[in-house]
Amino acid sequence: QELPAGAMISVPLSKADLMPFMTPEIEFAVFLSPTSCVVSGPTQAMNEFAERLEKRSIGFRRLAVTRAFHSAMMDPILARFHEVVRRVKLQRPTLRCLSGLSGTWMTDSEAQRSSYWVEHLRQTMRLGDCLSQLSSQTLLEVGPGNGLRALAAQIRLDPEA
């Protein structure tokens, strides 16, 4: 809550297609699929980003957040967050988990390393890569909406995934 306000926007474009709209203040927060990303940054920069998209008639969705997660705007709290996580007794997972950082299966050492969780707060998440790891599995979406199903369908249909 101490951090300045920020925003996040989901755009159905690839990283390469979004690059011309990016500025130094805006960062990729999540790679949802090969053709969908979430960007994050200060509110004013994100409003200007949205205006650039609108001028090109590119659809987007603002996320219901008040902070710019997975961006430099998290930097002021990383050391303090690290201290909090270091006090938690981290254990190896009892179930296999995917890493949002790498998009591959999480290792026991990652799960037990406090700095991993700090990186998780700051770095770009690779949700699309995680879903690709599960492409041959049956997925169950629990909760409102069908966002996971829609992303999984994009990844399964993408010939490069």
Side-chain angles (χ1 to χ4, degrees), residues 29-154:
V30 184
F31 295 128
L32 295 168
S33 76
T35 59
S36 186
C37 301
V38 175
V39 295
S40 185
T43 304
Q44 183 59 40
M46 295 303 290
N47 289 340
E48 293 166 3
F49 174 82
E51 288 174 14
R52 289 191 297 279
L53 294 175
E54 286 173 339
K55 285 180 182 175
R56 298 285 303 273
S57 300
I58 297 171
F60 62 89
R61 185 173 61 86
R62 292 179 186 269
L63 303 188
V65 298
T66 58
R67 301 297 182 269
F69 300 104
H70 308 292
S71 79
M73 293 187 75
M74 296 290 106
D75 290 351
I77 65 164
L78 295 180
R80 193 168 50 180
F81 181 70
H82 193 210
E83 287 305 312
V84 170
V85 176
R86 284 174 39 138
R87 292 192 299 255
V88 174
K89 185 176 188 307
L90 299 173
Q91 300 179 24
R92 68 181 196 85
T94 56
L95 298 173
R96 284 181 74 193
C97 299
L98 286 161
S99 167
L101 285 173
S102 68
T104 61
W105 294 101
M106 181 187 293
T107 66
D108 290 349
S109 65
E110 285 174 327
Q112 296 175 63
R113 187 170 36 89
S114 59
S115 60
Y116 170 86
W117 298 104
V118 175
E119 292 170 37
H120 208 281
L121 178 64
R122 173 62 177 90
Q123 301 301 318
T124 304
M125 294 292 97
R126 301 184 174 283
L127 180 57
D129 292 341
C130 288
L131 287 173
S132 290
Q133 293 288 325
L134 300 172
S135 64
S136 64
Q137 306 292 314
T138 299
L139 302 176
L140 172 65
E141 182 158 13
V142 178
N146 62 1
L148 178 61
R149 181 176 60 96
L151 284 174
Q154 283 181 24

Side-chain angles (χ1 to χ4, degrees), residues 18-38:
L18 267 180
M19 287 305 293
F21 299 95
M22 301 293 282
T23 62
E25 304 88 15
I26 299 172
E27 296 181 53
F28 287 99
V30 184
F31 295 128
L32 295 168
S33 76
T35 59
S36 186
C37 301
V38 175

